[in-house]
């Protein structure tokens, strides 16, 4: 509730954002983002992102390409993600973000206008091919009723999105993904998961169970239904 981010445990490799006591096996340390401004934090391996109250995204960690900052950060301190350029470039600061999530190598955010923005070093993990953040193209028009994204979750190598109409979409998905059978990496070209369409809120009768959340790990995934049931799938 303080609006601050803390890390503990494996606090080396810049995951503490340049806090004063780097090293492994440390007690909680506050990541040096302006005090009281953080409302969400997410992370993958070696890197993390935080969403602040102004709607901008901060990145830190040992691999500059994974957190969207794309350039060395003095003192390893967190820096804001920009559109189309590294944190120290001339691109506009990514703003208007209302929710963020991560895969192992990439991050993404939902913007207040219904668009999705992503960053990170590998398109197979849901990132983009350039520096900074860029808009994910190919999703249904969010200005059309029912098409606005309401849920975003990064799994191992792919992102999941749920729309207002209950449709589930994904992008990314290189090896070991969290997708149902028959689906593979689509890099930065979003695709609907049609095998989950029977449980979309827009497809079921009033009061019938529908998907409200979705997540996954390596070679497996699951969706939570509105009545508490769980759909699950996996290859191992």
């Amino acid at each position: 509730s303080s609006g601050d981010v803390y890390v503990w445990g494996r606090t080396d490799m810049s995951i503490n954002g340049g806090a004063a006591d780097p090293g492994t096996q440390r007690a909680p340390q506050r990541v040096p983002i302006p005090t009281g401004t953080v409302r969400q934090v997410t992370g993958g391996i070696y890197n993390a992102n935080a969403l602040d109250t102004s709607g901008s995204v901060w990145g830190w960690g040992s691999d500059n390409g994974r957190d969207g900052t794309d350039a060395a950060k003095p003192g390893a301190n967190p820096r804001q993600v920009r559109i189309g350029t590294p944190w120290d470039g001339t691109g506009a600061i990514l703003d208007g973000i209302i929710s963020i999530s991560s895969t192992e190598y990439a991050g993404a955010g939902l913007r207040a206008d219904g668009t999705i923005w992503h960053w990170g070093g590998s398109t197979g993990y849901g990132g983009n091919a350039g520096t900074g953040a860029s808009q994910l193209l190919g999703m249904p028009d969010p200005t059309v009723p029912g098409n606005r994204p309401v849920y975003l979750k990064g799994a191992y190598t792919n992102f999941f999105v749920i729309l207002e109409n209950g449709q589930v979409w994904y992008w990314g998905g290189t090896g070991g993904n969290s997708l149902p059978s028959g689906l593979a990496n689509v890099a930065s070209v979003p695709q609907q998961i049609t095998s989950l369409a029977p449980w979309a809120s827009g497809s079921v009768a009033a009061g019938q169970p529908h998907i409200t959340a979705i997540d996954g790990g390596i070679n497996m995934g699951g969706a939570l239904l509105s009545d508490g049931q769980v759909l699950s799938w996996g290859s191992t």
Side-chain angles (χ1 to χ4, degrees):
S1 61
S2 69
D4 296 320
V5 178
Y6 289 83
V7 297
W8 57 90
R10 186 73 188 265
T11 50
D12 59 344
M13 301 189 75
S14 302
I15 199 62
N16 70 346
D21 190 21
T24 58
Q25 306 306 317
R26 295 291 193 262
Q29 303 177 25
R30 191 184 76 82
V31 178
I33 295 173
T35 301
T37 62
V38 176
R39 56 179 175 168
Q40 188 183 359
V41 64
T42 183
I45 186 169
Y46 309 135
N47 286 76
N49 289 110
L51 175 63
D52 70 17
T53 52
S54 73
S56 65
V57 178
W58 297 74
W60 69 94
S62 63
D63 186 324
N64 301 316
R66 296 185 189 185
D67 60 30
T69 57
D70 287 298
K73 297 176 278 295
N77 288 176
R79 290 293 187 269
Q80 288 171 297
V81 175
R82 292 181 180 269
I83 296 174
T85 61
W87 71 267
D88 57 355
T90 58
I93 290 175
L94 180 64
D95 63 2
I97 300 298
I98 58 175
S99 177
I100 58 175
S101 195
S102 302
T103 63
E104 187 175 58
Y105 286 80
L110 296 182
R111 214 172 192 181
D113 61 4
T115 58
I116 298 173
W117 294 71
H118 62 144
W119 55 87
S122 172
T123 58
Y125 284 76
N128 59 7
T131 56
S134 61
Q135 184 179 347
L136 178 72
L137 302 177
M139 289 294 295
D141 182 354
T143 65
V144 175
N147 285 353
R148 181 177 288 269
V150 295
Y151 178 94
L152 169 70
K153 185 65 178 67
Y156 173 47
T157 68
N158 63 275
F159 286 96
F160 291 112
V161 173
I162 302 176
L163 306 184
E164 284 179 323
N165 60 21
Q167 291 181 3
V168 180
W169 288 65
Y170 83 97
W171 78 95
T174 193
N177 63 51
S178 308
L179 302 166
S181 178
L183 299 179
N185 177 27
V186 293
S188 298
V189 183
Q191 178 175 311
Q192 183 185 356
I193 303 179
T194 56
S195 60
L196 296 177
W199 294 276
S201 59
S203 301
V204 301
Q208 292 301 302
H210 58 272
I211 293 173
T212 60
I214 186 169
D215 203 348
I218 299 175
N219 294 319
M220 52 77 68
L224 177 67
L225 301 185
S226 57
D227 65 350
Q229 293 187 81
V230 174
L231 306 175
S232 64
W233 54 87
S235 60
T236 57

